[in-house]
Amino acid sequence: MTVVTPLADPSRRRSNRPNWEEPPTAAGQTGKGVVLVLVVAVVLIPLWMVVLTSLSTQTAVNKAGGMVLVPDGLTLAAYQQIFTNQLVMHSLAVSLGITIVGTLISMVVTILCAYGLSRHGSFAHRPILLVLVVTMFFSGGLIPTFLVVSALGGYDSYWSMILPTAVSVFNILVVRAFFSATSQELIDAAAIDGAGDWRTLWSVVLPTSRAVTAVVALFYAVGYWNTFFNALLFLPDNQKWPLQMVIYTYTLQGNAMPGSGQNTTGQYFGTQEITPLAIQMAVVTLTLIPILLIYPFVQRHFTKGVLLGAIKG
Amino acid sequence: MTALHDAPPALRAPEDQPVKKSRFRRDRSLLLMVVPAIVLLIVFNYVPMFGTATAFQRYSIYAGFWHSPWTGLETFRQLFSDPLFWSALGNTLILSLVQLIFYFPVPIALALLLHSIMSNKVRTIVQSVVYLPHFFSWVLAVTIFQQMLGGAGALNQFLRQNGIGTWDVMTDPDTFALLVTSQVIWKEAGWGIIVFLAALAAIDTQLYEAAAADGAGRWRRLWHITLPGIRGVIVLMLVLRLGNVLTVGFEQMLIQRGAVGRDAAEVLDTYAYYYGVVNANFSLGAAASLFKGVLSLLFLLAANKIAHLLGEDGLYRR
């Protein structure tokens, strides 16, 4: 299956509409416009309300009766509150640490493996690929994995959130497809200049593959940042929790957050001008920020990255 | 590492290097690069695959795998006589079916709509926005749904303020299947359009031109060129979906199981989790997972067979 990637195509402009194509009808265009605006609104409005509520004063939240849609009485008090909260700050550090260390480990393993399998006609690359691909369709399931990780000392340890999910075969296939497409002349030239496989990977193949490595790094980083289930499985102690566990426990399940100024029944008794809801939404916003920061830089490479893995793998 | 052993990769074709041993020597640095990934996969994927054998034991965490007594099919007898297991299986199939009907067509429709937009700028903006929720965790997605649709959420604020009764969608077991599906649509439909957009872009525009010359209007072109053009990808996605028919968003269910109740939200994966890990009945959990794995494989093979009968490649060529 050959696939042309629908990246920015300069020929697709209104003025370039081919002359055999009928001009758009007013009704059709309005209909499409309404649907597209609705789709975008359904994604963005909840995010907007989350961020705005986290920035709202108690009066504004009370006036809105909960989530805030229109800015009115903004304050950073909720953020001041969570930045002095030990639990939140510690979980933020844990999330950042897991994400950074995990992504580094995953990228090294993935890039090496992808390059090792990307040179045409190399020794045993087919059977090795089979060993990889089998894991995409078969798995031991939850219980045996839990027992293995626990037996290796993963229980109550940070690495249980990194090593079991460190390799994604899908990502290896994406990177391998990209590496295989590196111009053979370039690699031959490096070989003639005396570069071995390690040198070729580092000095020739990697610098020409920035797009795909950026996308795959984002996939891994998002995976680690979103780690929830492994934390639930392996981390009994809230001192080691990542942010996702904190949100799950204190926002979704509605338990009172230690040091948030809430008592055990969730009643707010502080004198600050913020509500528990604003504090919860501030923590939620905190987990959104890194994704929103990195996303625009990597987004344009998505299509290429995803399709390479899906089609050529 | 000498240059002698590192033959230029251009020569890396089997016929140039007939001797296995010399190919091994030449490619040993490549093989070394593969080792870390293989080791991780063996430890965390292959060892658990064999660990599935705990389903045939009365596993005790103190005795471990090697010393736990073998019980044959006893665990499966226990599993199949548990009404909660059948209820979990039923829930899984219902949720899967509802998602197949209401979720599956959405990315296709969205992709068709986006493809028909001439303006590059509009398309890029919409794409960037709809991809975004895919990168949020399920904890975040469900939190956002709770804040929008939950008892204290934005929807019910609005309903209360306008004197209409309230409805806590987040805890209503009767509409849980629809809630779950709408969450999946919100989070993944945008991301799902990528593969269809690629298939659409691969359709030869000359076909459209020829059809237009023959007098086919836009709807006829959609029906006779566009849809057949992406048929292969649609069938492939359907095959993959059917292979996963027993998997319905594990984290998504786990997170909401408490609020909605076990009767509606227990699926095979959460069943295995609660019996296996929470109640420490490891053998029963492993048996439930194994049952699910075997059945999923059969579904996948059957779906692929059907794809072949329809004249499509499916997962692999015949």
Side-chain angles (χ1 to χ4, degrees), chain B residues 87-248:
Chain B
S87 138
L89 180 63
N91 282 339
T92 312
L93 290 172
I94 290 169
L95 290 169
S96 238
L97 187 70
V98 173
Q99 285 187 31
L100 194 66
I101 296 169
F102 292 101
Y103 168 73
F104 190 78
V106 176
I108 303 175
L110 254 181
L112 288 173
L113 174 64
L114 267 186
H115 187 68
S116 75
I117 306 291
M118 281 301 277
S119 159
N120 242 326
K121 208 186 270 171
V122 173
R123 268 185 315 141
T124 315
I125 293 171
V126 176
Q127 262 170 282
S128 315
V129 171
V130 295
Y131 291 167
L132 190 57
H134 171 75
F135 295 95
F136 301 157
S137 67
W138 271 112
V139 172
L140 211 58
V142 173
T143 304
I144 287 171
F145 262 77
Q146 194 185 48
Q147 298 307 334
M148 294 299 121
L149 305 180
L155 174 73
N156 281 313
Q157 285 162 39
F158 177 80
L159 293 180
R160 259 192 303 273
Q161 278 160 10
N162 291 282
I164 315 167
T166 55
W167 177 35
D168 187 356
V169 189
M170 298 300 287
T171 57
D172 188 344
D174 297 332
T175 50
F176 185 61
L178 293 176
L179 172 72
V180 165
T181 307
S182 59
Q183 287 167 346
V184 174
I185 292 175
W186 186 78
K187 191 170 178 304
E188 303 295 345
W191 189 247
I193 68 177
I194 287 189
V195 63
F196 295 110
L197 278 182
L200 285 169
I203 298 174
D204 189 350
T205 40
Q206 289 185 351
L207 290 174
Y208 288 108
E209 198 173 343
D214 289 344
R218 60 182 99 228
W219 293 108
R220 288 200 74 113
R221 293 201 300 270
L222 177 75
W223 185 251
H224 290 292
I225 298 172
T226 311
L227 285 179
I230 59 171
R231 198 176 107 137
V233 177
I234 294 178
V235 171
L236 175 67
M237 289 293 141
L238 209 51
V239 169
L240 288 173
R241 180 64 219 132
L242 289 175
N244 272 325
V245 84
L246 295 179
T247 306
V248 274

Side-chain angles (χ1 to χ4, degrees), chain A residues 7 14 17 29 37 47 49 61 64 77 106 123 169-171 180 196 199-200 207 211 232-233 236 279 290:
Chain A
L7 295 176
R14 268 182 212 154
R17 187 184 290 280
Q29 235 166 347
V37 168
L47 299 183
M49 289 178 85
V61 173
S106 291
F123 183 83
V169 172
F170 178 82
N171 286 347
S180 303
R199 183 80 208 200
T200 312
L232 184 70
L233 265 186
I279 295 174

Side-chain angles (χ1 to χ4, degrees), chain B residues 209-292:
Chain B
E209 198 173 343
D214 289 344
R218 60 182 99 228
W219 293 108
R220 288 200 74 113
R221 293 201 300 270
L222 177 75
W223 185 251
H224 290 292
I225 298 172
T226 311
L227 285 179
I230 59 171
R231 198 176 107 137
V233 177
I234 294 178
V235 171
L236 175 67
M237 289 293 141
L238 209 51
V239 169
L240 288 173
R241 180 64 219 132
L242 289 175
N244 272 325
V245 84
L246 295 179
T247 306
V248 274
F250 178 33
E251 280 194 12
Q252 187 189 5
M253 298 304 152
L254 192 65
I255 292 166
Q256 301 186 83
R257 185 177 174 274
V260 178
R262 193 168 65 186
D263 289 340
E266 188 89 295
V267 292
L268 286 180
D269 285 326
T270 55
Y271 178 90
Y273 170 72
Y274 276 97
Y275 280 77
V277 180
V278 178
N279 297 340
N281 191 339
F282 295 104
S283 291
L284 195 68
S289 290
L290 180 62
F291 172 82
K292 188 196 137 189

Side-chain angles (χ1 to χ4, degrees), chain A residues 32 40 65 140 161 170 186 249 286 311:
Chain A
K32 281 179 193 174
V40 170
M161 284 178 285
F170 178 82
L186 216 57
T249 312
L286 206 60
I311 310 298

Side-chain angles (χ1 to χ4, degrees), chain A residues 133-145:
Chain A
V133 171
V134 162
T135 64
M136 292 175 84
F137 294 97
F138 301 93
S139 76
L142 170 70
I143 307 299
T145 310

Side-chain angles (χ1 to χ4, degrees), chain A residues 40-246:
Chain A
V40 170
V42 163
V43 175
L44 291 186
I45 287 179
L47 299 183
W48 166 256
M49 289 178 85
V50 165
V51 175
L52 209 62
T53 306
S54 77
L55 290 168
S56 290
T57 56
Q58 191 168 18
T59 6
V61 173
N62 287 342
K63 211 165 100 189
M67 301 298 284
V68 182
L69 184 62
V70 190
D72 170 30
L74 299 181
T75 168
L76 284 172
Y79 290 89
Q80 280 164 2
Q81 185 87 6
I82 60 170
F83 280 114
T84 55
N85 184 307
Q86 288 253 308
L87 183 76
V88 175
M89 280 302 100
H90 195 263
S91 67
L92 176 65
V94 170
S95 281
L96 282 174
I98 291 171
T99 304
I100 292 167
V101 175
T103 307
L104 279 176
I105 293 177
S106 291
M107 285 310 284
V108 170
V109 173
T110 302
I111 287 173
L112 286 181
C113 182
Y115 184 72
L117 295 173
S118 72
R119 307 281 20 108
H120 305 287
S122 70
F123 183 83
H125 74 285
R126 285 193 179 279
I128 297 175
L129 263 178
L130 188 68
V131 169
L132 259 62
V133 171
V134 162
T135 64
M136 292 175 84
F137 294 97
F138 301 93
S139 76
L142 170 70
I143 307 299
T145 310
F146 174 78
L147 294 176
V148 168
V149 175
S150 300
L152 293 174
Y155 197 73
D156 201 21
S157 157
Y158 289 125
W159 73 253
S160 62
M161 284 178 285
I162 296 179
L163 290 186
T165 51
V167 211
S168 146
V169 172
F170 178 82
N171 286 347
I172 291 180
L173 295 180
V174 171
V175 179
R176 186 187 97 95
F178 206 91
F179 284 175
S180 303
T182 310
S183 126
Q184 190 63 47
E185 288 78 12
L186 216 57
I187 292 172
D188 290 348
I192 287 166
D193 288 345
D197 287 316
W198 297 91
R199 183 80 208 200
T200 312
L201 169 61
W202 184 252
S203 308
V204 178
V205 175
L206 266 188
T208 54
S209 309
R210 290 219 184 93
V212 75
T213 43
V215 172
V216 168
L218 176 81
F219 287 173
Y220 276 126
V222 165
Y224 286 116
W225 185 253
N226 288 343
T227 292
F228 161 72
F229 183 59
N230 277 17
L232 184 70
L233 265 186
F234 296 115
L235 299 180
D237 175 9
N238 71 4
Q239 289 303 307
K240 286 185 175 158
W241 280 355
L243 268 175
Q244 304 290 342
M245 276 297 285
V246 169

